[in-house]
Amino acid sequence: MLSHNLGYPRVGSQRELKKASEQYWAGKIDRDALQKVARQIRHRNWETQQQSGIDLIPSNDFSLYDQVLDTSLLVGAIPERYNQLIDGKSNRELDLYFAMARGVQREGVDIKAMEMTKWFDTNYHYIVPEFIKNQKFNRYSDKVILEFEDARQQGIITKPVLLGPVTYLLLGKEKEEGFDRIDLLDQLLPVYIEILKELASRGAEWIQLDEPCLVLDLTDKYKIALESAYAQIHEAVPNLRILLATYFGALEDNLSLATNLPVAALHIDLTRGEESLSAVLSDRDFINSTKLLSLGVVDGRNIWKNDYKKSLDFIQKTVDIIGENRVLIAPSSSLLHSPHDLDLEKNEEVLTPEIKNWMAFAKQKLAEVSTLTKLSGTDYIKNKLFTTNQKAIESRRTSTLIHKTLVKKRVTAIELQDFERKNNFGARQIIQLEKLKLPLFPSTTIGSFPQTDDVRQLRANLKKGILTQQEYENRIEEEIVKSLRWQEDLGIDVLVHGEFERNDMVEYFGESLSGFVFTQNGWVQSYGSRCVKPPIIYGDVERPAPMTVRWSAFAQANSDKLVKGMLTGPVTILQWSFVRDDQPRKDTTFQIGLAIRDEVVDLEKAGIKVIQIDEPAIREGLPLRKSAWKNYLKWAVDAFRLSAAGVADQTQIHTHMCYSEFNDIIDSIAAMDADVITIETSRSQMELLDAFADFNYPNEIGPGVYDIHSPRVPTIEEITLLLEKALKVIPARNLWVNPDCGLKTRKWPETEAALRNMISAANLLRESVAIEQ
Ligand code: GLN
Ligand code: ZN
């Protein structure tokens, strides 16, 4: 039995690659210096894996930006607009590569970057391949060869990793009409085959081809493409051992397709698709073949320690049927999605030894894989490695830090009426109209105002103890008052307090709720050089005390206008954290929903009449398989309703969404039953509104009238045009006027200019509607 790994984090345990690439982009270091850092990370990764006892170590899992972009460069799928950057010299390849990832803007050259989107259901983003009708592929980059040779010089014969040809095409986009990208397969395959042949001739024994598309709903065309691709590959390089890696879900209806492909080994994810195991093990063809089965038992996407008992049972069950020699042990997916090294978490006040003992980051997961490989087939019950592991698992199962009877009871006691406002929207709208006295086309913003260095400094100084709590609060209050006066002068109708006290919209709440912990170095790559440090939800979630009431009440006391309370919703908090694997996501979300509900009720008690609960991440929580959508959307919407429904009809509940296209879940958005939704639409020129119109969306809506992601100031005319467009499909009494997201990343001058134009446009619209009537 061999152990192997599918991929390792590549930014470096101290985010060395992030720092070096950003310096390179800023022109502060040269290419050699950047490549040197990259090489050091690769060497260290190989060394770490070797020392951890991993038998088959991957190469080409490293990337300077993204592995899908690497693939585009490997097969020469370089969009035409970058042609001027191709000059055949390999030393220019790096600049071409970064230009594709980030765009270039210098004298004489102005080329847009390629699009970026989420990698399956993770928070990692890849660069979307662009294809044209006459797409030609030819081998362009030597990266995979160079990395293989580099490792060989270190004495390691690696298992090169390539994104499989079918998933690669699936992840791309047609940039012109009149063809289907999967039809490009026959053009693409010769390039793959050429590379595989070269790797084989250089001594590669194993190649890992990633085809995570096998866990998706596939059309027949894609199924046939998989069969054809792997038949051709097998024929061309019959002696190269291909490990076909699937992950992020179960194979389901693609199972026999996957087990019948002519490859040497099949990898399945047992953390998100446990059921694939029994299915593969009852597949006669597979059992009777000589194929190996790679068991992804260690979760590559979460931070919890592996339960050795459970994994060893999986392994034993497999060995009993196909024999030890046909089994490989691995993480479920690439470890790219876990933080680097738990040993770097040294602050025991932040991460107590008890909680830390439940966790494993990438480096610790390697040890788990290798230990499981060693223990299997032995009499492990008394083995120290096994017993210590089981002690940790048991401690997590029973710890009172995690399990809070009252919280669990409260979730079980939720009743249908807890999801319902007192009256339906129609009745609420009439009451709110009377109580809130808002004008037609009310204006508002999404919550945050520019986070200047001064504001950031305030929070940092509080943490460092340079400011006392009192001094800090005084300074934040000053900022709030300034922003209130400023909003009043502009003539905004529903004000916000500005979120100056918040670092991040999830972290802020995580820090005030029980059941969350934070790491100091738990960085995970999000895209390119950007890394995030997700909070960890380890236990039952409770709200020990109000979290935002102090600031919202202060703000409302300092203005005669309405000031909106501002909260992050339960689904978004869940979605952007590492979550528990010992209870369904739904249960965790309901616990958070109850905590937010308490906050909403307390805000109402404190005199806040308009409360926004942001749910930008609701769309991205959708399961990969369509058949699972309904169930997810039901509980996600319920969790939101649970958080919102504790207030009287006259209290106006807002929600906000962005970062996704929402057309396909519009009925669920309506089911959330927020009185008002503010939503990102300006980049698509309000295209989304057609969906709202077709659906006959009943509640009030503020389609963002300008894109806050750019410093550009929109003109009054542009905004007016968009509002008029919106008015064609939304009844006038339901239309709000607002930007399309929070203003945190903007500077004050452009924010003021943009909002001034926005208010002018709203006023003009009111006048013209008044004249018409
Ligand atoms: N209220 C948050 C803000 O304004 C919303 C952020 C978001 O949607 N991502 O910053
Ligand atoms: Zn937003």
Side-chain angles (χ1 to χ4, degrees):
M1 191 179 306
L2 292 181
S3 61
H4 76 110
N5 183 24
L6 277 68
Y8 202 66
R10 56 217 186 188
V11 183
S13 63
Q14 310 292 327
R15 287 182 296 158
E16 297 88 332
L17 184 63
K18 172 196 174 66
K19 290 164 200 161
S21 10
E22 286 173 0
Q23 281 181 320
Y24 177 73
W25 298 333
K28 290 188 186 137
I29 61 169
D30 65 9
R31 189 166 52 95
D32 290 343
L34 172 61
Q35 293 290 17
K36 190 170 161 211
V37 172
R39 205 174 318 117
Q40 277 168 353
I41 293 175
R42 287 195 299 263
H43 287 187
R44 218 176 306 133
N45 285 356
W46 288 325
E47 223 174 78
T48 306
Q49 294 176 84
Q50 201 170 34
Q51 283 165 3
S52 306
I54 299 295
D55 298 314
L56 290 177
I57 296 172
S59 62
N60 201 44
D61 57 329
F62 178 82
S63 178
L64 282 169
Y65 202 93
D66 163 46
Q67 73 274 9
V68 183
L69 180 59
D70 292 343
T71 314
S72 290
L73 219 66
L74 172 76
V75 301
I78 300 161
E80 216 177 52
R81 62 181 181 283
Y82 301 101
N83 277 354
Q84 51 181 305
L85 301 176
I86 303 177
D87 64 1
K89 291 196 205 92
S90 64
N91 64 0
R92 292 286 308 275
E93 188 176 308
L94 191 63
D95 293 323
L96 168 66
Y97 178 77
F98 285 136
M100 289 164 78
R102 315 175 62 237
V104 256
Q105 209 165 21
R106 51 180 148 82
E107 30 14 294
V109 199
D110 185 358
I111 319 176
K112 265 200 348 215
M114 293 170 76
E115 209 181 302
M116 188 166 73
T117 199
K118 275 187 185 261
W119 173 248
F120 296 84
D121 58 351
T122 72
N123 267 328
Y124 176 80
H125 301 70
Y126 71 92
I127 301 286
V128 182
E130 296 179 15
F131 302 123
I132 52 171
K133 203 166 163 184
N134 285 320
Q135 184 69 47
K136 296 276 170 294
F137 297 100
N138 42 62
R139 180 160 153 202
Y140 189 84
S141 139
D142 280 331
K143 174 177 179 288
V144 56
I145 308 285
L146 296 176
E147 286 189 21
F148 179 75
E149 288 297 340
D150 189 13
R152 190 156 73 156
Q153 271 170 22
Q154 310 283 305
I156 304 178
I157 300 293
T158 52
K159 164 180 59 116
V161 179
L162 290 171
L163 181 55
V166 178
T167 301
Y168 172 67
L169 289 174
L170 179 89
L171 293 175
K173 246 187 179 173
E174 291 91 357
K175 282 290 156 177
E176 55 191 18
E177 310 242 307
F179 77 108
D180 183 344
R181 60 191 186 278
I182 193 60
D183 296 334
L184 302 173
L185 183 66
D186 287 338
Q187 310 273 345
L188 174 63
L189 270 181
V191 186
Y192 267 83
I193 288 173
E194 183 188 330
I195 294 156
L196 294 178
K197 278 189 173 155
E198 175 161 354
L199 285 167
S201 76
R202 288 173 184 268
E205 290 159 17
W206 280 98
I207 304 279
Q208 175 184 323
L209 288 175
D210 285 6
E211 293 284 10
C213 73
L214 277 159
V215 309
L216 305 178
D217 300 318
L218 290 176
T219 59
D220 287 345
K221 228 172 161 178
Y222 274 87
K223 293 182 185 172
I224 294 167
L226 280 159
E227 279 165 355
S228 150
Y230 285 86
Q232 290 183 55
I233 289 174
H234 179 65
E235 196 180 305
V237 276
N239 296 323
L240 192 59
R241 314 190 78 189
I242 305 283
L243 182 138
L244 183 76
T246 70
Y247 40 79
F248 300 156
L251 293 167
E252 294 184 23
D253 57 328
N254 298 327
L255 187 112
S256 68
L257 167 66
T259 53
N260 280 305
L261 294 175
V263 293
L266 173 67
H267 172 83
I268 53 176
D269 180 338
L270 297 188
T271 64
R272 297 176 182 241
E274 204 182 297
E275 62 268 37
S276 293
L277 183 61
S278 325
V280 173
L281 292 180
S282 44
D283 183 315
R284 281 280 131 217
D285 291 339
F286 186 86
I287 298 173
N288 295 331
S289 73
T290 54
K291 283 177 196 161
L292 275 64
L293 185 61
S294 162
L295 304 177
V297 283
V298 172
D299 195 342
R301 290 177 57 179
N302 213 332
I303 41 72
W304 304 113
K305 229 174 220 173
N306 186 259
D307 179 349
Y308 284 0
K309 169 93 179 54
K310 192 172 173 200
S311 298
L312 287 163
D313 285 349
F314 281 143
I315 299 170
Q316 193 56 48
K317 181 174 159 184
T318 314
V319 169
D320 286 347
I321 297 179
I322 58 173
E324 190 196 342
N325 294 334
R326 283 177 60 194
V327 179
L328 294 160
I329 309 299
S332 61
S333 66
S334 166
L335 297 173
L336 173 67
H337 311 287
S338 5
H340 223 278
D341 183 0
L342 187 63
D343 294 341
L344 300 176
E345 301 301 321
K346 298 212 191 297
N347 187 339
E348 299 200 344
E349 272 163 46
V350 183
L351 195 61
T352 61
E354 183 177 0
I355 298 178
K356 190 174 166 184
N357 187 37
W358 302 329
M359 296 179 179
F361 291 0
K363 190 172 167 205
Q364 288 69 37
K365 286 171 191 288
L366 293 174
E368 292 185 337
V369 167
S370 127
T371 303
L372 286 168
T373 313
K374 281 194 209 101
L375 290 184
S376 101
T378 68
D379 185 12
Y380 52 74
I381 298 294
K382 292 211 179 93
N383 186 303
K384 186 94 190 296
L385 293 168
F386 181 76
T387 52
T388 346
N389 170 272
Q390 290 300 293
K391 248 190 228 145
I393 298 295
E394 189 52 27
S395 129
R396 190 172 158 222
R397 198 155 24 226
T398 51
S399 168
T400 49
L401 283 179
I402 298 180
H403 302 281
K404 306 208 173 108
T405 322
L406 285 180
V407 178
K408 292 191 207 295
K409 270 203 183 131
R410 205 176 156 202
V411 171
T412 341
I414 295 173
E415 288 174 22
L416 281 180
Q417 72 205 41
D418 297 330
F419 300 110
E420 303 289 336
R421 300 284 297 268
K422 316 262 164 335
N423 277 295
N424 64 21
F425 172 71
R428 300 200 304 267
Q429 192 177 34
I430 295 168
I431 301 174
Q432 289 168 16
L433 198 66
E434 186 195 310
K435 296 274 181 190
L436 302 179
K437 301 195 169 48
L438 287 168
L440 193 59
F441 312 129
S443 56
T444 190
T445 60
I446 307 304
S448 58
F449 280 132
Q451 289 256 336
T452 56
D453 287 343
D454 281 356
V455 168
R456 279 181 228 276
Q457 203 59 54
L458 288 181
R459 292 197 308 262
N461 286 346
L462 173 69
K463 261 201 178 140
K464 285 189 209 140
I466 298 173
L467 283 179
T468 65
Q469 183 67 25
Q470 194 53 49
E471 286 164 337
Y472 167 78
E473 293 193 6
N474 293 344
R475 297 290 305 279
I476 294 284
E477 286 186 351
E478 281 168 29
E479 293 294 329
I480 293 178
V481 172
K482 253 195 286 177
S483 92
L484 292 171
R485 291 297 86 80
W486 182 83
Q487 295 173 78
E488 288 162 358
D489 289 345
L490 279 176
I492 297 181
D493 299 310
V494 177
L495 315 190
V496 294
H497 78 284
E499 301 182 25
F500 303 111
E501 77 288 9
R502 301 188 190 174
N503 33 14
D504 167 272
M505 65 186 289
V506 169
E507 198 175 346
Y508 181 77
F509 290 91
E511 280 173 349
S512 337
L513 292 166
S514 67
F516 284 74
V517 270
F518 294 84
T519 62
Q520 293 182 300
N521 285 292
W523 297 101
V524 181
Q525 190 176 13
S526 168
Y527 63 86
S529 67
R530 186 171 156 75
C531 300
V532 293
K533 208 159 48 112
I536 296 169
I537 306 178
Y538 69 90
D540 289 335
V541 176
E542 230 178 343
R543 188 193 68 142
M547 306 179 281
T548 64
V549 175
R550 185 228 177 286
W551 299 116
S552 288
F554 170 81
Q556 186 60 85
N558 278 277
S559 179
D560 294 333
K561 291 220 165 169
L562 293 169
V563 183
K564 230 182 339 185
M566 195 58 61
L567 305 172
T568 302
V571 183
T572 300
I573 292 181
L574 178 94
Q575 203 51 39
W576 292 348
S577 304
F578 281 118
V579 297
R580 297 172 66 168
D581 59 357
D582 58 346
Q583 71 179 19
R585 293 163 77 79
K586 173 184 167 181
D587 294 2
T588 305
T589 317
F590 275 24
Q591 292 181 356
I592 306 170
L594 286 171
I596 300 294
R597 180 187 179 96
D598 292 346
E599 186 73 11
V600 170
V601 169
D602 280 348
L603 282 170
E604 183 186 57
K605 272 192 212 141
I608 308 300
K609 299 186 166 64
V610 182
I611 301 166
Q612 177 170 314
I613 309 170
D614 290 322
E615 282 292 22
I618 201 154
R619 171 74 177 68
E620 63 186 58
L622 274 184
L624 293 173
R625 295 274 192 171
K626 242 198 161 130
S627 56
W629 279 26
K630 208 171 145 203
N631 177 42
Y632 162 76
L633 285 168
K634 171 83 175 95
W635 65 250
V637 167
D638 277 350
F640 176 85
R641 294 175 64 118
L642 183 65
S643 69
V647 288
D649 285 344
Q650 66 202 57
T651 299
Q652 188 170 61
I653 298 288
H654 289 219
T655 190
H656 164 72
M657 282 177 205
C658 54
Y659 302 130
S660 305
E661 290 169 15
F662 297 98
N663 304 39
D664 52 358
I665 60 159
I666 185 89
D667 48 345
S668 299
I669 293 179
M672 289 165 72
D673 196 28
D675 297 305
V676 182
I677 180 170
T678 56
I679 193 162
E680 175 184 313
T681 49
S682 65
R683 262 186 293 185
S684 68
Q685 295 295 307
M686 303 251 163
E687 249 172 49
L688 173 73
L689 287 185
D690 294 337
F692 277 80
D694 291 343
F695 179 78
N696 227 335
Y697 183 77
N699 300 12
E700 296 179 25
I701 171 167
V705 292
Y706 75 89
D707 176 11
I708 62 90
H709 301 90
S710 140
R712 203 179 150 267
V713 174
T715 63
I716 300 179
E717 291 73 31
E718 278 169 49
I719 299 176
T720 306
L721 224 63
L722 287 182
L723 283 172
E724 282 168 352
K725 217 167 162 178
L727 258 188
K728 292 214 169 77
V729 291
I730 295 172
R733 65 168 191 290
N734 286 356
L735 184 63
W736 283 66
V737 180
N738 46 263
D740 72 354
C741 194
L743 297 159
K744 181 170 161 175
T745 54
R746 296 270 59 88
K747 302 258 182 305
W748 275 110
E750 73 226 24
T751 301
E752 170 162 9
L755 288 178
R756 205 173 278 290
N757 287 352
M758 184 185 91
I759 296 298
S760 304
N763 288 337
L764 283 172
L765 195 69
R766 273 176 210 148
E767 280 164 31
S768 72
V769 171
I771 292 166
E772 269 171 41
Q773 283 167 351

